[in-house]
């Protein structure tokens, strides 16, 4: 299944006077453009999980979003807005001459993919929304439910540290670590591309847009909800999630109810990273969807 391979091409693309680094695997007219999660993560974990799909006559393209990885890292917090990221995606698509693409968005990349599809629907052959949501206020409710499974005393401890601003306390960090291993990646050993991305996390975009960790949304996206707009989507849509995902199956179902023609698949033994946790189930679903919507 997945394996790390070197990109066939690497490009530099200018966005608002800043350099982005773009990676491409394979060639051909069927382009899978991957938008990774974060915000603030390098694309390693998503790029290296999917680059090998070039053997299926796909061109796989991923890039380090502004502020991440090998791309430029400005510090102006005004840059960390989802609408600006939409234009970043469009700039990459046009600069590489990709034409109409299959857009795959994972986690935060899924929110970005939805926003991109609202503004540039004609650029898409299909939309693949992986482990993501269309309604962040609903996600916040779901995260409270996941936190609640730790027990009332642990939740009270977390709320106390959040109120006091002491999120670096070992007690609080221990609870976050447990939640991450339950709901982000359930593997005992996390894959090297995932560890590389996490070790190079730029917390500037992340804290501005999302919040201090995966289970507390207080950034500028906390009220983001595009379910109404998704009802008007015409492109083929695949929604995937893991049974144990932090961005829960209930969140995925809300998107499915909004975009009624969408296909939804839940991977029973995965959390947030089915391409690593359950690749033997994940990749056939993705490839079948892409095969049915070529051209």
């Amino acid at each position: 299944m997945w394996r790390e391979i070197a990109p066939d091409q690497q490009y530099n693309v200018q966005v608002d006077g800043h350099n982005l680094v773009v990676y491409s695997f394979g060639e051909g007219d069927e382009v899978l453009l991957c938008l990774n999660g974060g915000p603030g993560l390098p694309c390693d974990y998503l790029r290296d999980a999917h680059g090998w799909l070039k053997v299926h006559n796909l061109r796989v393209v991923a890039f380090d979003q502004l502020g991440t990885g090998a791309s430029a890292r400005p510090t102006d917090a005004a840059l960390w807005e989802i609408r600006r990221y939409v234009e970043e995606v469009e700039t990459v698509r046009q600069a590489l001459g990709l034409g109409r693409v299959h857009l795959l968005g994972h986690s935060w990349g899924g929110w970005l993919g939805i926003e991109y599809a609202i503004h540039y629907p004609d650029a898409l052959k299909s939309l693949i929304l992986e482990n993501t949501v269309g309604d962040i206020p609903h996600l916040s409710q779901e995260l409270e439910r996941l936190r609640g499974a730790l027990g009332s005393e642990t939740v009270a401890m977390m709320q106390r540290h959040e109120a006091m601003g002491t999120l670096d306390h070992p007690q609080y960090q221990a609870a976050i670590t447990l939640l991450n291993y339950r709901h982000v990646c359930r593997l005992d050993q996390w894959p090297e591309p995932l560890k590389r991305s996490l070790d190079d996390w730029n917390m500037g975009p992340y804290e501005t847009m999302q919040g201090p960790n995966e289970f507390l949304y207080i950034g500028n996206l906390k009220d983001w909800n595009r379910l109404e707009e998704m009802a008007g989507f015409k492109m083929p849509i695949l929604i995937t999630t893991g049974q144990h995902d932090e961005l829960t199956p209930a969140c995925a179902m809300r998107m499915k109810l909004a975009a009624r023609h969408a296909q939804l698949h839940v991977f029973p033994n995965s959390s947030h990273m089915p391409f690593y946790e359950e690749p033997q189930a994940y990749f056939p679903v993705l490839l079948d969807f892409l095969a049915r919507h070529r051209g």
Side-chain angles (χ1 to χ4, degrees):
M1 284 295 179
W2 79 271
R3 58 190 180 278
E4 292 186 67
I5 58 175
D8 296 310
Q9 292 91 25
Q10 183 170 313
Y11 305 89
N12 293 303
V13 174
Q14 295 301 304
V15 173
D16 297 327
H18 303 289
N19 188 63
L20 296 185
V21 177
V22 185
Y23 311 91
S24 179
F25 304 79
E27 57 186 18
D29 295 332
E30 298 296 326
V31 178
L32 182 66
L33 178 57
C34 298
L35 306 179
N36 61 270
L41 283 178
C43 71
D44 297 45
Y45 84 91
L46 196 65
R47 176 195 69 201
D48 293 349
H50 292 81
W52 73 276
L53 292 174
K54 71 176 189 176
V55 303
H56 291 275
N57 297 316
L58 291 166
R59 183 181 182 187
V60 181
V61 177
F63 64 96
D64 288 327
Q65 298 164 7
L66 187 62
T68 73
S71 294
R73 298 198 182 198
T75 57
D76 181 3
L79 294 168
W80 315 137
E81 292 283 346
I82 192 167
R83 190 65 181 87
R84 188 208 62 78
Y85 279 98
V86 167
E87 297 309 312
E88 178 176 302
V89 176
E90 177 63 3
T91 299
V92 169
R93 188 184 71 87
Q94 292 196 21
L96 271 64
L98 299 179
R100 295 176 66 235
V101 302
H102 303 280
L103 190 66
L104 186 157
H106 176 256
S107 196
W108 137 253
W111 314 337
L112 177 55
I114 292 169
E115 198 76 21
Y116 181 87
I118 292 170
H119 292 91
Y120 294 101
D122 293 339
L124 302 183
K125 290 184 178 180
S126 71
L127 180 61
I128 303 155
L129 300 173
E130 298 193 342
N131 308 89
T132 192
V133 306
D135 177 356
I136 290 181
H138 174 247
L139 168 62
S140 293
Q141 296 173 14
E142 286 291 281
L143 291 174
E144 283 302 311
R145 180 175 62 79
L146 298 182
R147 282 160 50 121
L150 298 178
S152 59
E153 291 188 4
T154 299
V155 171
M157 175 273 293
M158 296 180 73
Q159 292 172 338
R160 173 169 58 85
H161 284 298
E162 288 163 0
M164 295 174 62
T166 51
L167 303 188
D168 58 348
H169 193 283
Q171 278 185 318
Y172 187 85
Q173 288 301 311
I176 293 298
T177 297
L178 179 56
L179 287 168
N180 283 338
Y181 274 93
R182 283 185 180 183
H183 302 296
V184 176
C185 184
R186 293 168 74 86
L187 298 175
D188 290 337
Q189 297 295 323
W190 286 11
E192 286 303 317
L194 177 57
K195 290 194 289 187
R196 280 201 310 273
S197 286
L198 294 174
D199 288 345
D200 195 22
W201 204 328
N202 182 352
M203 295 302 289
Y206 184 77
E207 291 179 350
T208 299
M209 301 181 75
Q210 180 164 320
N213 59 63
E214 289 294 284
F215 299 90
L216 183 61
Y217 282 67
I218 56 175
N220 62 30
L221 285 171
K222 63 182 174 61
D223 297 319
W224 184 86
N225 180 348
R226 292 293 182 265
L227 294 181
E228 183 176 349
E229 290 83 355
M230 289 184 71
F233 283 2
K234 305 299 184 187
M235 73 288 291
I237 301 172
L238 171 65
I239 301 168
T240 67
T241 189
Q243 177 65 44
H244 309 284
D245 197 349
E246 56 174 333
L247 279 60
T248 66
C251 295
M253 188 61 186
R254 282 211 167 189
M255 293 190 291
K256 173 68 172 70
L257 292 173
R260 293 186 177 275
H261 66 286
Q263 172 186 343
L264 171 60
H265 194 96
V266 181
F267 297 102
N269 298 309
S270 295
S271 57
H272 198 53
M273 303 277 173
F275 36 85
Y276 290 127
E277 297 169 282
E278 213 171 345
Q280 73 286 353
Y282 164 82
F283 285 108
V285 170
L286 174 61
L287 288 168
D288 173 71
F289 175 80
L290 291 171
R292 287 187 284 110
H293 299 291
R294 287 177 177 263

